[in-house]
Amino acid sequence: MHVLELDQEYRTIPAGQAEARFLLRYTVCAEEKLRPDFEGAVPFSETGKRLWFLTLFQRLMWLTETVRSDIKAARMRERNPALALDPRLATREEKEKAAQWLLMELERTEGGVLFQTAPLLEKRLKEQTDRFVDTTRELLSRLTEDWTEISRAFFVSGNPGRIVRLKTDGADPHFHGRTTCVIEAEHGAFVYKPHSCEIDVRFGELVQRRFGDFLYVPRCIPRPGYGYSEFIEALPVGSEAEIDRYFY
């Protein structure tokens, strides 16, 4: 995956945030480090890989958003002093020009204009990228090791197909960057939990003993320090009877 290919993937970046393309270099770096891991892991679709690296890009965009906005605002005030009264008066054209100027400055200074304003940001970007690589490598290793059991437990056919997407849905990273995610494959989905699932197992046993005749317990695969669970799709209620059953 090259920079131009990634740039095409992220072509929906608003013109007013064009400077964020500078962060693509971190995404490319992560992809290059992880290429051997993906080649030896469970099957992924190319789209699935790109979408996963997009999560890193979005994380870095969020991390730098305030600093980027402050630099662009200062640039627009220099060009139009009236904006000192109210930055919201900036036109779309002014915002886009400020973004293009910042992108050129970032490329020219290798990010220096950003890191001069926020000296700790350079270290944070590297840390976030390294954590993304480490946690992705760990996830791929675990999936590869457990793929046979995952296939038997969560897929009737025993064949999940290729992984097409890893969805975090905004879940906060924890345990040094690890994130719970829904793993969508061609023939279904399941949930990866980067923490102990013993509580899920014990709760399931309790429900089976007391309420097993009318409550369904999602299947779970516990592993030391992590695990997987069956994905339960959220569906709207369709009748008063279903409402009564849901709020029993």
Side-chain angles (χ1 to χ4, degrees):
M1 193 183 302
H2 301 293
V3 175
L4 290 178
E5 293 174 344
L6 283 168
D7 192 62
Q8 285 299 309
E9 274 303 309
Y10 310 140
R11 60 186 176 277
T12 56
I13 296 174
Q17 297 185 43
E19 78 286 348
R21 295 181 187 275
F22 170 77
L23 300 171
L24 289 174
R25 63 183 59 201
Y26 294 94
T27 312
V28 171
C29 177
E31 193 277 337
E32 290 175 348
K33 290 181 178 180
L34 287 167
R35 186 179 296 118
D37 299 275
F38 273 100
E39 289 175 353
V42 294
F44 269 79
S45 70
E46 287 302 314
T47 299
K49 293 178 188 177
R50 287 195 295 269
L51 289 174
W52 182 237
F53 285 106
L54 176 59
T55 65
L56 170 62
F57 181 72
Q58 291 171 332
R59 196 175 301 171
L60 299 182
M61 280 188 66
W62 173 82
L63 186 64
T64 60
E65 181 177 8
T66 300
V67 179
R68 290 187 288 109
S69 296
D70 288 347
I71 294 174
K72 289 185 293 183
R75 172 68 175 181
M76 288 188 290
R77 286 194 298 271
E78 289 178 4
R79 309 291 290 183
N80 182 1
L83 296 178
L85 299 175
D86 189 349
R88 293 174 297 180
L89 296 175
T91 65
R92 179 177 178 179
E93 182 181 3
E94 286 175 317
K95 293 177 181 178
E96 291 179 359
K97 284 184 177 180
Q100 288 295 333
W101 167 81
L102 181 53
L103 176 60
M104 288 188 293
E105 287 297 298
L106 287 169
E107 296 290 352
R108 183 180 66 82
T109 64
E110 293 290 315
V113 65
L114 197 67
F115 305 139
Q116 287 173 6
T117 305
L120 296 179
L121 196 55
E122 184 174 12
K123 180 180 178 181
R124 290 284 289 139
L125 288 172
K126 184 179 184 304
E127 286 177 346
Q128 285 291 322
T129 304
D130 289 343
R131 283 184 179 178
F132 178 85
V133 170
D134 291 342
T135 56
T136 300
R137 189 168 282 154
E138 178 183 73
L139 171 59
L140 293 174
S141 175
R142 289 173 172 179
L143 285 173
T144 302
E145 181 178 350
D146 302 327
W147 197 242
T148 299
E149 186 165 355
I150 289 170
S151 302
R152 286 198 302 259
F154 302 137
F155 298 88
V156 177
S157 67
N159 176 25
R162 295 178 302 170
I163 292 175
V164 297
R165 190 173 187 182
L166 303 175
K167 290 177 59 178
T168 61
D169 285 336
D172 293 331
H174 52 283
F175 295 117
H176 305 288
R178 297 173 177 86
T179 307
T180 296
C181 62
V182 176
I183 299 178
E184 296 182 352
E186 290 173 317
H187 303 144
F190 60 98
V191 181
Y192 165 69
K193 299 182 178 182
H195 53 75
S196 174
C197 292
E198 285 301 316
I199 190 171
D200 300 320
V201 174
R202 298 292 173 257
F203 178 74
E205 292 172 350
L206 174 63
V207 171
Q208 286 284 22
R209 285 200 305 269
R210 300 291 185 179
F211 313 104
D213 56 335
F214 62 92
L215 285 182
Y216 178 75
V217 178
R219 293 185 293 274
C220 178
I221 302 176
R223 286 287 184 268
Y226 70 100
Y228 313 92
S229 67
E230 182 180 1
F231 175 69
I232 304 298
E233 185 179 3
L235 298 174
V237 294
S239 66
E240 291 188 4
E242 289 183 355
I243 294 175
D244 291 338
R245 181 182 179 188
Y246 180 81
F247 290 101
Y248 172 81

